[in-house]
């Protein structure tokens, strides 16, 4: 009964496929451009993907429950703007004529909290009011975009100071801060998905919601947590991008939700839920990152980059489907 | 219009297997012009499967169908319809958001000279059909807003609209009012005069006195009798429906009458859409330690709903009280139910019982995962050990606990579900059709397992639509009919005939 059988799941195959595709791309780019395979460019790619990685970890959890979150890009923008605004201007409390000033740490906390709160709203709309995730998060997309404009008045918030800026531009032991942050989040969520009860329940809810419910899993509670986490992680991404640019752009993160869904899907996570992994998503982010970076170094027009990226998404899922049909 | 008398449709040697079950075994059937042939048999006897094959819904594995003496092969219901065969399905096949007329003419819409749907003509023709069926519904009404009985009439209108020469009806009266049934029977009389051959599946034998001509009795996927109804008595039919060689039945051990573990008091469940209608009405019973209580009922009697309601799945619509070990418990969700010591193995293993993408081990530990938590993380050795014990106890045959549960046979999948529940150390086990669709050996193993659990003091409730199964494993049998308990039999007194009598609706169905 304990005999080991070679078990090759569809997810494993997908991961090998993505890994193979990534290595192929790295080799091809190295041949085509002498600037590609250098340590500097390597860090560059990792720094570039760190924002998408934060979003995509949350998106992976959401997609594993057979959901979708279209609001992460907008939440990113609002969280960044709120943190930047509080840091720069503080929070005036009119009645008492008090100005609450924020340290960098306080601003970070506020940014992540805003993200978590909006994510929780998504979760409540989906569980309590039974909205399809697509609709609930589409609504939140518009709400968060609007709130960002209201908060900033449509102007960037700049000049945020060095201690906040170090989140985006600092290095520790020669490794850029954004890379530290995203790597730590990857490590945490690999453990959460593989080694905790919550992680197991996420897979169960996405794999068969009815069976999960009948097994005593509080399905609504799991979904609420998943969307809250996706929002919080979008908040983290917002802080990184704001700190790196030393400015909160009101239309930051436009279209990022699509990049993050692309990374999740390329990484082999099934949009119908229950199948996939955080590590797969890391590969998905790397593939998109290498593609963007390599095409840039090759002086390919950004317009063509978009076209290529689209084909990669379609090809990745098509290959996944074909191999699923064979088994 | 009327055709000569004689054989309209003949099926010879039809066999059909589904994974793990032989549904039909060399079945013959003859449908005559202008006669109604009743198909009788228990749930699972193969009636619906046979009718689905004749209507082209799915192909037979072996055998041949002849229409007007010509051999035919259907690749879909469209083919069958082109040959004049129409079927009224038991589960309604209407598009809920389309109108009555749109549903009646779905796929055969009358077109105008531009190739657009001619709504005026369609609604006019639909209105004529509805008038013929004496139902007061406008052709433009959205189907979703109709009562189930009215939807059934629409379904009948749809079959009439194809001017079928062979009409198959699968329990068409199960939701109709007395008046609607009366109208339907008059229409059936008319169709018979026109020479239409009718196959009619029903559990209500008294209907046949009014409309039936011939009767075919099926059991275990075979035809046991085909004769004109005049030559059969009610008692004969019931005996043929249930009769079986008693030697292959499993006999369980004697009951150990213990204290009452589960008590259900006046449990009612409202119909989710039709107000004033009930799926369960004032159901009360108790189950003792070491006792197996069987619940029998025909399709739609409320069997599954009863277990689901006890398990907290319908807390919004239900009323009544549940006691565990004599103390009242509040169960508003499955997690409450599990905490109270209940476990439910659902009827549809794949849709409700298992996460097919997950491994045997992950499925087994799913309902009791908290026990494997150490400092917030899952302890793999602890989980493996617990899972190993549970799957060994239930006799799950799998190459490895890491095998995906999807790859197991039906019987082993059912054992995984039982293992999952035993891992929660329940007091009461609710089993809904625990052996549906699994092979005979696995069935036996599950019976033995149930018996073992009973001897260890578990209270077990088994819902089954298979009479021999329920008689052989239950210490006490309750019969559900249209949401009410209609009879209770001790182990010694239960016979297949007496149970079937209690399960057949006596009165006409209320509106």
């Amino acid at each position: 009964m304990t005999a080991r059988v070679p078990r090759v799941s569809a997810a494993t195959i997908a991961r090998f496929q993505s890994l193979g595709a990534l290595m192929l791309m790295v080799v091809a780019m190295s041949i085509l451009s002498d600037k590609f395979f250098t340590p500097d460019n390597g860090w560059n790619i990792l720094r570039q993907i760190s924002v998408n990685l934060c979003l995509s970890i949350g998106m992976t959890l959401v997609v594993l429950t057979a959901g979708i979150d279209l609001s992460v890009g907008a939440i990113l923008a609002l969280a960044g703007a709120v943190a930047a605004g509080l840091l720069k201007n503080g929070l005036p409390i009119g009645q008492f004529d008090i100005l609450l000033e924020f340290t960098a740490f306080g601003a970070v906390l506020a940014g992540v909290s805003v993200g978590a709160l909006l994510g929780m709203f998504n979760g409540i709309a989906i569980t309590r009011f039974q909205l399809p995730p697509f609709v609930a998060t589409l609504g939140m997309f518009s709400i968060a975009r609007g709130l960002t404009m209201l908060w900033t008045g449509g102007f960037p918030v700049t000049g945020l100071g060095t201690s906040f800026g170090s989140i985006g531009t600092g290095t520790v032991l020669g490794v850029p801060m954004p890379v530290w942050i995203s790597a730590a989040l990857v490590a945490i969520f690999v453990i959460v998905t593989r080694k905790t009860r919550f992680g197991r329940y996420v897979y169960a809810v996405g794999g068969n919601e009815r069976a999960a419910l009948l097994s005593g899993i509080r399905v609504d509670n799991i979904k609420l947590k998943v969307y809250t986490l996706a929002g919080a992680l979008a908040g983290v991404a917002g802080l990184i991008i704001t700190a790196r640019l030393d400015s909160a752009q009101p239309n930051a993160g436009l279209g990022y939700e699509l990049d993050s869904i692309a990374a999740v899907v390329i990484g082999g996570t099934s949009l119908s839920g229950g199948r996939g992994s955080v590590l797969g998503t890391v590969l998905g982010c790397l593939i998109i990152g290498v593609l963007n970076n390599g095409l840039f170094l090759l002086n390919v027009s950004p317009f063509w980059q978009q076209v290529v990226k689209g084909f990669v998404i379609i090809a990745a899922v098509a290959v996944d489907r074909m191999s699923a049909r064979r088994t | 219009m009327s055709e000569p008398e004689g054989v309209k449709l003949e099926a010879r040697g039809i066999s059909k297997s589904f994974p793990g079950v032989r549904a039909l075994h060399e079945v013959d059937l003859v449908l005559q012009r202008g006669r109604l042939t009743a198909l009788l048999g228990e749930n699972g006897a193969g009636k619906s499967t046979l009718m689905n094959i004749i209507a082209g819904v799915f192909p037979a594995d072996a055998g041949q169908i002849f229409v007007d003496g010509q051999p035919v092969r259907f690749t879909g219901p469209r083919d069958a319809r082109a040959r004049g065969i129409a079927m009224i399905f038991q589960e309604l096949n209407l598009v809920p958001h389309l109108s009555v007329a749109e549903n009646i003419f779905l796929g055969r819409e009358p077109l105008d000279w531009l190739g657009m749907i001619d709504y005026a003509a369609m609604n006019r023709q639909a209105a004529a059909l509805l008038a013929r069926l004496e139902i007061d519904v406008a052709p433009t009404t959205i189907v979703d807003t109709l009562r189930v009985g009215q939807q059934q009439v629409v379904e009948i209108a749809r079959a009439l609209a194809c001017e079928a020469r062979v009409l198959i009806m699968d329990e068409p009266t199960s939701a109709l009012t007395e008046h609607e049934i009366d109208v339907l029977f008059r229409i059936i009389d008319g169709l018979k005069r026109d020479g239409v051959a009718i196959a009619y599946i029903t559990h209500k034998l008294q209907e046949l006195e009014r409309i039936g001509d011939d009767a075919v009795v099926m059991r275990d996927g075979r035809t046991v009798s085909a004769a004109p109804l005049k030559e059969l008595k009610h008692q004969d039919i019931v005996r043929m429906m249930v009769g079986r060689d008693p030697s292959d039945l499993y006999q369980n051990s004697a009951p150990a009458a213990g204290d009452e573990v589960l008590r259900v008091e006046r449990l009612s469940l409202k119909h989710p859409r039709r107000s004033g209608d009930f799926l369960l009405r004032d159901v009360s019973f108790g189950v003792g330690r070491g006792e197996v209580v069987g619940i029998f009922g025909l399709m739609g009697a409320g069997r599954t709903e009863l277990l689901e309601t006890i398990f907290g799945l319908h807390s919004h619509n239900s009323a009544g009280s549940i006691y565990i070990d004599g103390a009242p418990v509040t169960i508003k969700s499955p997690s409450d139910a599990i905490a109270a010591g209940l476990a439910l193995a659902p009827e549809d293993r794949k849709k409700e019982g298992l996460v097919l993408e997950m491994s045997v081990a992950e499925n087994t530990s799913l309902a009791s995962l908290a026990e494997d938590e150490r400092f917030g993380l899952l302890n793999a050795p602890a989980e493996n050990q617990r899972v190993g014990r549970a799957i060994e106890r239930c006799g799950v045959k799998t190459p490895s606990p890491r095998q995906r549960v999807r790859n197991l046979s039906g019987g082993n999948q059912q054992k995984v579900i039982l293992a999952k529940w035993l891992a929660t150390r329940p007091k009461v086990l609710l089993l809904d059709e625990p052996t549906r669709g699994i092979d005979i050996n696995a069935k036996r193993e599950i019976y033995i397992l149930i018996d073992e659990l009973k001897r260890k003091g578990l209270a077990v409730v088994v819902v089954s639509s298979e009479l021999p199964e329920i008689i052989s494993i239950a210490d006490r049998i309750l019969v559900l009919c249209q949401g009410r308990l209609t009879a209770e039999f001790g182990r010694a007194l239960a016979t297949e005939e007496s149970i079937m009598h209690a399960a057949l609706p006596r009165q006409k169905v209320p509106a």
Side-chain angles (χ1 to χ4, degrees), chain A:
Chain A
M1 189 152 293
T2 48
R4 290 283 298 252
V5 281
R7 190 190 62 147
V8 185
S9 69
T12 318
I13 294 171
R15 193 177 305 161
F16 279 121
Q17 281 165 352
S18 325
L19 197 60
L22 178 63
M23 295 203 297
L24 215 68
M25 278 166 55
V26 168
V27 171
M29 296 296 182
S30 307
I31 293 168
L32 291 171
S33 162
D34 53 358
K35 281 174 256 161
F36 180 79
F37 204 74
T38 60
D40 272 357
N41 195 44
W43 289 121
N44 211 359
I45 291 173
L46 290 180
R47 194 166 47 224
Q48 281 163 356
I49 68 166
S50 61
V51 169
N52 192 21
L53 205 45
C54 290
L55 294 179
S56 301
I57 292 168
M59 188 68 79
T60 306
L61 295 178
V62 168
V63 172
L64 279 175
T65 65
I68 195 89
D69 191 341
L70 301 178
S71 65
V72 290
I75 291 179
L76 170 152
L78 182 63
V82 166
L86 291 178
L87 188 62
K88 190 150 184 231
N89 307 323
L91 185 67
I93 300 178
Q95 277 162 296
F96 304 103
D97 207 17
I98 294 174
L99 184 73
L100 271 180
E101 299 225 19
F102 277 74
T103 60
F105 181 71
V108 165
L109 215 59
V112 176
S113 306
V114 164
L117 194 71
L118 267 56
M120 197 170 79
F121 267 62
N122 280 333
I124 290 171
I126 289 160
T127 56
R128 189 63 53 82
F129 300 106
Q130 303 279 304
L131 292 187
F134 190 98
V135 176
T137 60
L138 184 64
M140 181 54 72
F141 165 86
S142 187
I143 292 169
R145 282 279 164 221
L147 289 176
T148 310
M149 286 302 169
L150 287 170
W151 177 264
T152 60
F155 300 105
V157 185
T158 51
L160 304 174
T162 51
S163 64
F164 183 78
S166 67
I167 297 170
T169 52
T171 60
V172 176
L173 303 171
V175 177
M177 262 315 265
V179 178
W180 277 115
I181 295 171
S182 54
L185 288 171
V186 166
I188 290 170
F189 281 95
V190 165
I191 292 172
V192 165
T193 49
R194 293 167 68 138
K195 294 284 172 198
T196 69
R197 195 143 64 98
F198 169 73
R200 186 76 61 84
Y201 288 173
V202 166
Y203 281 89
V205 168
N208 187 343
E209 187 169 329
R210 177 84 178 166
L213 179 74
L214 283 173
S215 299
I217 296 171
R218 295 176 192 275
V219 171
D220 284 355
N221 186 296
I222 298 296
K223 287 187 180 172
L224 188 64
K225 284 182 183 164
V226 160
Y227 284 92
T228 306
L229 280 171
L233 287 162
V236 174
L239 296 172
I240 293 175
I241 209 166
T242 305
R244 197 167 78 203
L245 302 174
D246 191 29
S247 124
Q249 300 288 336
N251 55 4
L254 216 54
Y256 279 23
E257 54 281 335
L258 301 182
D259 269 356
S260 120
I261 294 169
V264 168
V265 166
I266 292 172
T269 296
S270 157
L271 279 178
S272 49
R275 205 152 54 84
S277 67
V278 171
L279 281 180
T281 297
V282 173
L283 275 177
C285 286
L286 278 167
I287 287 173
I288 294 178
V290 166
L291 199 67
N292 284 339
N293 174 276
L295 294 176
F296 174 77
L297 290 180
L298 296 173
N299 280 325
V300 176
S301 117
F303 305 145
W304 275 113
Q305 288 181 28
Q306 286 188 30
V307 174
V308 172
K309 194 160 70 187
F311 274 114
V312 169
I313 295 169
I314 291 169
V317 180
V319 169
D320 192 30
R321 279 291 148 86
M322 305 284 252
S323 55
R325 204 177 304 157
R326 272 200 301 273
T327 49

Side-chain angles (χ1 to χ4, degrees), chain A residues 1-11 191-218 273-275 327, chain B residues 308 311 313 333-336 338 344 346 350-355 357-359 362 365-367 369-370 373 376-378 380 383 388 391 396 398-404 420-421:
Chain A
M1 189 152 293
T2 48
R4 290 283 298 252
V5 281
R7 190 190 62 147
V8 185
S9 69
I191 292 172
V192 165
T193 49
R194 293 167 68 138
K195 294 284 172 198
T196 69
R197 195 143 64 98
F198 169 73
R200 186 76 61 84
Y201 288 173
V202 166
Y203 281 89
V205 168
N208 187 343
E209 187 169 329
R210 177 84 178 166
L213 179 74
L214 283 173
S215 299
I217 296 171
R218 295 176 192 275
R275 205 152 54 84
T327 49
Chain B
E308 286 183 353
F311 205 60
L313 278 165
S333 68
S335 60
D336 290 347
I338 294 166
L344 169 66
K350 292 184 179 176
K351 282 202 187 119
E352 305 196 316
L354 296 166
V355 185
E357 290 293 333
M358 285 186 154
S359 69
E362 286 168 324
S365 59
L366 196 58
L369 209 52
E373 237 176 2
L377 294 184
L378 292 177
E383 187 185 351
I391 63 182
V396 180
T398 173
S400 152
R402 296 181 49 189
Q403 176 74 31
R404 273 207 295 170
K420 167 172 85 178
W421 289 118

Side-chain angles (χ1 to χ4, degrees), chain B residues 205-276:
Chain B
L205 298 182
Q206 73 274 21
E207 286 183 347
L208 299 179
E209 289 162 21
R210 166 82 171 74
I211 51 167
D213 299 302
D214 302 307
V216 170
V217 182
M218 293 187 68
R219 191 205 308 149
D220 296 337
R222 294 167 200 264
T223 341
V224 282
S225 146
L229 261 170
K230 276 188 283 235
E231 298 169 15
L232 296 170
K233 287 205 206 71
H234 190 280
Q235 295 298 332
D236 300 335
I237 295 174
V238 171
R239 195 171 311 122
M240 282 191 288
M241 277 165 70
V242 298
R244 206 180 254 92
D245 186 7
S247 64
D248 65 348
L249 294 186
Y250 172 80
Q251 278 301 318
N252 72 345
S253 59
D259 302 335
E260 198 168 71
V261 179
L262 172 71
R263 170 107 223 128
V264 174
E265 273 301 332
R266 295 179 64 87
L267 199 66
S268 290
L269 175 63
K270 281 191 230 142
H271 194 285
R273 285 179 303 280
R274 277 178 286 154
S275 62

